[in-house]
Amino acid sequence: MAMSRRKRAQLFRGAQYALLVIVILVAAFVADWGEIQRAFFNVDAARAQFPGVITTALVNTIVYTALGFAFGLAVGLVLALMKLSPVGPYRWIATVYIEFFRGVPALLVFITLGFGAPLAFGLKFDIYSTVMLSLGLVGSAYIAETIRAGIQAVPAGQREAARSLGMSQGRAMVSIVVPQAFRIILPPLTNELILLTKDSSLIYLLGLARDEYELTKFGREGLNATGSLTPILLAGLCYLIITIPLGYLSRYLERRTGRKSERGLEVEA
């Protein structure tokens, strides 16, 4: 008697659960729990990180990310408008910029601004300017494409209605199209903020004073001082304090935007 499709799906799902349980049990029996506890869950090493991991490292990570995101958002908006411009040179400049900074690793941008700019041009940025420019230059390339897609997603009727009311092209764009586009792209912008939060760790390569430490640098210094990986684990948990709420916010905005779009389609229907 042939097995039904539903029965085969249940058996396949059951086999997957069984395999997962076996892998967990094997890992649990093979692992050296005493060594894991000493390496990752050293209470004394964790206690030594407070309160600096919060008051210095976590705060600096948030500040660095906020600076980079604000700069990237401003530049990204200008680039998006340039790429949608009917003027050819604006589109070409925006395209070259976007393709360049999306193609090079963020690490190279940090090194260029941190070490190359002072040597080549005599420009010496403080740490806040360096991280703002580095994160902003890389982030703006992605944000520009997100904003451009959002602007193009706004129904053309909105722009035509604004023009019929006597608004200029620029006024219609600023007052009608761009605000609607930002409501559409809030979820991907939140994801970009999460990526910049993690990229802010690259600043540790440039050398920091202790009061400028972000989470990764703080964790590495803790590792050197204690010989335990607990400070690294603690730094990772602090990153999650930032990124998990942002992830939930992104999904909430995505659902909310989706519901609004469905209501809009119902009204139009």
Side-chain angles (χ1 to χ4, degrees), residues 41-58:
F41 303 103
N42 186 317
V43 176
D44 293 333
R47 190 180 295 123
Q49 304 307 303
F50 288 95
V53 68
I54 301 295
T55 57
T56 300
L58 181 61

Side-chain angles (χ1 to χ4, degrees), residues 161-210:
R163 295 300 303 274
S164 68
L165 293 174
M167 291 186 183
S168 65
Q169 179 72 21
R171 177 71 183 279
M173 184 67 74
V174 172
S175 302
I176 305 296
V177 177
V178 171
Q180 292 190 62
F182 267 89
R183 281 197 290 273
I184 295 171
I185 63 174
L186 274 177
L189 280 183
T190 309
N191 288 329
E192 182 60 31
L193 184 58
I194 293 173
L195 294 177
L196 289 182
T197 301
K198 293 184 289 185
D199 282 347
S200 68
S201 65
L202 297 173
I203 194 67
Y204 87 92
L205 291 169
L206 303 183
L208 302 171
R210 187 164 182 80

Side-chain angles (χ1 to χ4, degrees), residues 187 252-265:
Y252 167 75
L253 293 172
E254 197 169 353
R255 289 196 299 272
R256 186 177 175 186
T257 304
R259 285 198 296 270
K260 283 189 173 182
S261 300
E262 290 175 2
R263 283 200 294 269
L265 290 174

Side-chain angles (χ1 to χ4, degrees), residues 240-251:
L240 295 181
I241 291 174
I242 302 173
T243 58
I244 288 179
L246 287 175
Y248 276 103
L249 176 63
S250 173
R251 287 191 286 276

